[in-house]
């Protein structure tokens, strides 16, 4: 593993995203939306910062997943990935370069949620930790979709429904018990549950087990996709 | 250390269908080698085998003294590639496209500038790739392929779809690489390009090499007529024997100021290909 190459990929992606509105909007949309909603919508009996855990879950389930899948699929479609690999870049160096860029961009967005939610001390640490875990799983799902897809269009057709399930199921779970039970089996559902009780109780075994199980399944799916195509 | 390319009895099959059939080629350091053949002849497959993107079904291929099935970072850092598809980052500008590869290879920061100047794109350094013309993109890809100062340069159809002026520009850059001692492996279906640039060529048809050698020598080998053709100022053409009698007639025509041009009856590579395979190049 060569840090120089990882850094080169990271810097390339930073420049490229600035000109790629489709990916850029993924990183900005929910943090911006939460600031607007949190400041403009105040209703009776509504919890303070009601939108923060809700939008944080959506952000975590959506931004890393779609951006990773879209970046990877575009690079495959336009042959830039093949050129990188033929220039001595290892698939893992590429994935770490792009993945760390997405992680950083999403953690910046997470910072906006943390400030809006006015989290402090233990709450803040728990929030950042659980968001980091969720972003990692979401990025890995995106990588699996990107590796599986031949081009950007097929990546979008897979990532949109997957992203909808992970992002919206925890929200729908607020209104429907059956969906709530299903949502508890998903990492995004558990993270949303955890975000809603930040600071009051630590992470219970159920959350830990679901996150680990989901992480393992995602890792396995990524391994399968990687084995099938080898990325390029 | 061997700096060339050696192939011995390369066979490649896809799903029982033979794409390459016993290819044997030896390319020495500093040589420009042209692989010529119509679309579907197996040119790109051979490049992919040589660059480790595909594995041959049978035979041995060596690049820089290493089996192409076992190429390492060391070999990859010594080759440059201009593939059939450009593979440029469309949203990045010319400079940033090259800067990425300079960083990957661990080169100094002035390498992108050097490379852009070499291909005449320095003025367009800040232009995004999506705004470049096809010729400019080709030059940028060539700059990317040469940025690490490769020992071997693979060029897959480097002038395909370019106008003559842009193609000439690419030819000049390839010739400059030869002057630096770089081995160039190019595929083309442009016969004139091959005759002009290559030290040696191989004519590839349906996965087999049908002729191999220096382009001039190949053409002379197939000069069955072996005659001298005089184009006269009155529009007529006369064919003369390539002997002392013919030479005397040429002398007389020249003396009388009748001659517009003198040609040999050597066929071009396309005619040779047609004679050997019974099919045209397109």
């Amino acid at each position: 593993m060569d840090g120089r190459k990882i850094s080169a990929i990271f810097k390339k992606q930073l420049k490229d995203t600035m000109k790629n509105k489709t990916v850029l909007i993924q990183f900005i949309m929910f943090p911006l939306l939460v600031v607007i909603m949190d400041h403009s919508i105040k209703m009776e009996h509504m919890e303070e910062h009601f939108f923060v855990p809700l939008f944080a879950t959506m952000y975590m389930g959506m931004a890393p997943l779609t951006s990773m899948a879209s970046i990877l699929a575009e690079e495959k479609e336009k042959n830039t990935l093949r050129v990188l690999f033929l220039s001595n870049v290892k698939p893992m160096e590429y994935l770490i370069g792009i993945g760390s860029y997405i992680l950083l961009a999403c953690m910046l967005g997470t910072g906006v949620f943390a400030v809006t939610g006015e989290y402090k001390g233990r709450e803040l640490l728990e929030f950042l930790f659980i968001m980091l875990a969720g972003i990692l799983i979401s990025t890995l799902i995106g990588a699996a979709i990107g590796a599986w897809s031949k081009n950007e269009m097929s990546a979008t057709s897979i990532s949109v429904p997957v992203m909808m399930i992970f992002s919206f199921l925890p929200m729908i779970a607020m209104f429907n018990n059956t969906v709530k039970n299903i949502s508890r089996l998903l990492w995004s559902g558990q993270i949303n549950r955890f975000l809603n009780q930040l600071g009051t109780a630590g992470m219970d075994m159920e959350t830990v087990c679901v996150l680990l199980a989901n992480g393992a399944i995602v890792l396995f799916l990524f391994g399968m996709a990687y084995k099938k195509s080898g990325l390029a | 250390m061997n700096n060339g390319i050696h192939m011995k009895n390369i066979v490649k099959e896809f799903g029982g269908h033979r794409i390459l059939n016993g290819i044997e080629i030896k390319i020495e350091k500093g040589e420009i080698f042209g692989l010529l053949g119509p679309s579907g002849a197996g040119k790109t497959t051979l490049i992919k085998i040589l660059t480790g993107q595909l594995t041959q079904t049978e035979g041995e291929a060596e690049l820089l003294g290493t089996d192409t099935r076992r190429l390492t970072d060391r070999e990859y850092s010594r080759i440059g590639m201009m593939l059939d598809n450009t593979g440029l980052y469309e949203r990045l500008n010319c400079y940033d496209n090259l800067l990425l590869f300079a960083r990957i290879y661990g080169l100094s920061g002035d390498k992108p500038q050097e490379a852009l100047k070499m291909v005449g794109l320095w003025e367009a350094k800040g232009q995004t790739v999506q705004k470049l013309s096809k010729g400019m993109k080709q030059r940028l890809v060539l700059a990317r392929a040469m940025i690490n100062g490769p020992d071997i340069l693979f060029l897959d159809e480097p002038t395909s779809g370019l106008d003559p002026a842009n193609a000439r520009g690419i030819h000049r850059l390839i010739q400059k690489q030869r002057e630096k001692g770089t081995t160039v492996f190019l595929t083309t279906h442009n016969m004139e390009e091959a005759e002009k640039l290559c030290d040696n060529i191989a004519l590839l048809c349906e996965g087999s090499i049908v002729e191999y050698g220096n382009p001039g020598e190949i053409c002379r080998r197939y000069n069955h007529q072996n005659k001298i053709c005089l184009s006269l100022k009155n529009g007529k053409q006369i064919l003369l024997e390539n002997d002392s009698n013919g030479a005397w007639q040429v002398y007389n025509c020249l003396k009388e100021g009748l001659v517009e041009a003198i040609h040999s009856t050597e066929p071009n590579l396309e005619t040779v290909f047609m004679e050997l395979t019974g099919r045209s190049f397109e």
Side-chain angles (χ1 to χ4, degrees):
Chain A
M1 206 81 73
D2 190 337
R4 190 187 67 224
K5 291 174 196 164
I6 295 171
S7 152
I9 302 288
F10 181 92
K11 287 173 184 162
K12 179 276 294 177
Q13 197 51 49
L14 184 65
K15 280 185 186 164
D16 192 55
T17 306
M18 291 303 155
K19 293 170 185 169
N20 186 353
K21 292 184 191 77
T22 336
V23 171
L24 194 59
I25 204 155
Q26 302 285 342
F27 297 134
I28 296 172
M29 188 172 67
F30 279 105
L32 193 69
L33 213 57
V34 82
V35 172
I36 295 168
M37 300 285 267
D38 194 68
H39 285 89
S40 59
I41 300 178
K42 308 272 181 200
M43 281 164 30
E44 245 185 285
H45 309 302
M46 193 168 89
E47 280 175 41
E48 203 186 3
H49 307 306
F50 169 79
F51 293 107
V52 174
L54 190 68
F55 282 9
T57 310
M58 287 190 198
Y59 179 64
M60 180 198 62
M62 213 179 267
L65 189 152
T66 48
S67 50
M68 187 72 187
S70 138
I71 291 167
L72 193 49
E74 186 188 15
E75 293 239 36
K76 283 172 80 173
E77 184 178 356
K78 299 199 169 148
N79 244 351
T80 48
L81 199 56
R82 184 152 73 104
V83 176
L84 284 178
F85 292 163
L86 289 172
S87 307
N88 240 349
V89 175
K90 301 273 176 298
M92 213 35 84
E93 289 166 345
Y94 172 81
L95 285 174
I96 292 173
I98 299 292
S100 54
Y101 166 74
I102 289 173
L103 200 67
L104 181 77
C106 288
M107 285 313 283
L108 287 175
T110 300
V112 176
F113 283 99
V115 171
T116 311
E118 295 181 88
Y119 297 130
K120 286 184 184 71
R122 188 184 157 187
E123 264 188 356
L124 177 66
L125 286 178
E126 281 183 359
F127 178 74
L128 292 178
F129 172 75
I130 201 74
M131 285 297 283
L132 181 67
I135 289 165
L136 276 174
I137 295 176
S138 186
T139 307
L140 210 52
I141 298 174
I145 295 171
W148 197 271
S149 315
K150 280 198 172 72
N151 53 44
E152 225 183 332
M153 196 180 270
S154 68
T156 310
S157 66
I158 303 171
S159 60
V160 167
V162 172
M163 166 268 277
M164 297 278 267
I165 291 168
F166 289 125
S167 303
F168 291 105
L169 226 57
M171 186 181 71
I172 301 167
M174 290 195 299
F175 313 106
N176 184 303
N177 271 337
T178 314
V179 176
K180 192 177 179 179
N181 289 335
I182 298 169
S183 174
R184 285 179 85 131
L185 299 171
L186 303 178
W187 55 280
S188 57
Q190 284 297 333
I191 287 176
N192 183 255
R193 197 169 74 94
F194 185 73
L195 288 177
N196 279 313
Q197 55 192 36
L198 267 188
T200 56
M203 194 180 283
D204 58 21
M205 268 320 273
E206 182 187 322
T207 308
V208 175
C209 288
V210 171
L211 286 184
L212 287 177
N214 275 239
I217 293 167
V218 167
L219 208 58
F220 173 74
L221 290 175
F222 172 74
M224 295 268 290
Y226 182 80
K227 202 176 165 192
K228 177 192 159 234
S229 66
L231 283 195
Chain B
M1 185 182 286
N2 190 333
N3 280 324
I5 301 169
H6 290 184
M7 282 167 264
K8 203 174 170 190
N9 192 32
I10 295 291
V11 172
K12 180 67 187 171
E13 288 176 354
F14 283 117
H17 182 59
R18 200 164 265 217
I19 306 294
L20 293 173
N21 188 18
I23 304 294
E24 304 233 358
I25 298 172
K26 194 173 178 184
I27 305 164
E28 299 299 341
K29 183 184 184 300
E31 179 180 331
I32 299 186
F33 176 83
L35 186 63
L36 283 79
S39 301
K43 305 190 292 288
T44 305
T45 306
L46 193 57
I47 279 202
K48 284 185 173 174
I49 288 172
L50 289 175
T51 53
Q53 298 177 69
L54 280 178
T55 307
Q56 65 270 32
T57 312
E58 283 174 35
E60 302 294 322
E62 268 188 15
L63 182 86
L64 298 162
T66 305
D67 189 319
T68 55
R69 289 167 292 198
R70 283 185 280 279
L71 294 177
T72 63
D73 289 3
R74 209 177 53 165
E75 284 80 35
Y76 277 120
S77 65
R78 291 174 62 197
I79 61 176
M81 279 177 247
M82 183 179 182
L83 302 167
D84 48 351
N85 193 315
T86 61
L88 292 166
Y89 288 96
E90 296 275 323
R91 286 181 293 269
L92 297 185
N93 63 34
C94 298
Y95 184 84
D96 286 337
N97 262 282
L98 296 190
L99 184 62
L100 166 65
F101 288 90
R103 281 174 173 157
I104 286 170
Y105 287 118
L107 305 171
S108 64
D110 53 359
K111 277 285 173 186
Q113 178 178 343
E114 248 177 59
L116 283 172
K117 282 183 177 166
M118 185 167 60
V119 298
L121 282 179
W122 179 240
E123 299 300 315
K125 63 180 185 294
Q127 241 175 291
T128 52
V129 169
Q130 57 202 0
K131 288 180 185 158
L132 298 180
S133 67
K134 185 165 184 191
M136 289 164 97
K137 281 184 187 174
Q138 292 281 79
R139 278 188 281 155
L140 185 59
V141 176
L142 192 55
R144 185 185 64 195
M146 297 187 302
I147 197 164
N148 56 334
D151 291 325
I152 297 181
L153 197 52
F154 287 97
L155 308 173
D156 196 3
E157 306 275 0
T159 56
S160 169
L162 293 188
D163 60 72
N166 270 311
R168 271 198 299 277
I170 299 270
H171 291 164
R172 274 195 295 273
L173 289 167
I174 295 171
Q175 278 162 334
K176 270 188 194 168
Q177 285 302 303
R178 181 196 2 220
E179 287 162 20
K180 287 182 189 170
T182 310
T183 308
V184 181
F185 184 107
L186 73 92
T187 69
T188 182
H189 58 255
N190 182 338
M191 299 292 178
E192 280 177 39
E193 184 171 273
E195 286 185 42
K196 184 178 160 186
L197 289 175
C198 299
D199 300 305
N200 283 305
I201 59 146
L203 295 176
L204 191 68
C205 183
E206 292 170 358
S208 298
I209 290 177
V210 291
E211 191 51 92
Y212 178 81
N214 176 273
E217 283 171 15
I218 291 175
C219 292
R220 281 192 290 279
R221 210 178 299 153
Y222 288 85
N223 186 7
H224 304 306
Q225 282 187 302
N226 194 21
K227 291 192 173 176
I228 299 163
C229 176
L230 288 189
S231 295
L232 303 179
K233 285 179 178 166
N234 62 10
K236 286 184 180 168
Q237 279 196 333
I238 49 173
L239 278 177
L240 303 170
E241 291 301 326
N242 189 4
D243 56 15
S244 56
N245 188 33
W248 187 246
Q249 285 178 274
V250 173
Y251 170 74
N252 283 332
C253 289
L254 284 169
K255 198 174 157 193
E256 287 167 32
L258 301 172
V259 179
E260 183 78 42
I262 306 174
H263 310 279
S264 74
T265 52
E266 274 172 32
N268 59 21
L269 286 174
E270 185 151 12
T271 315
V272 173
F273 186 82
M274 281 184 76
E275 183 182 329
L276 289 166
T277 65
R279 54 180 287 192
S280 89
F281 232 67
E282 297 306 322

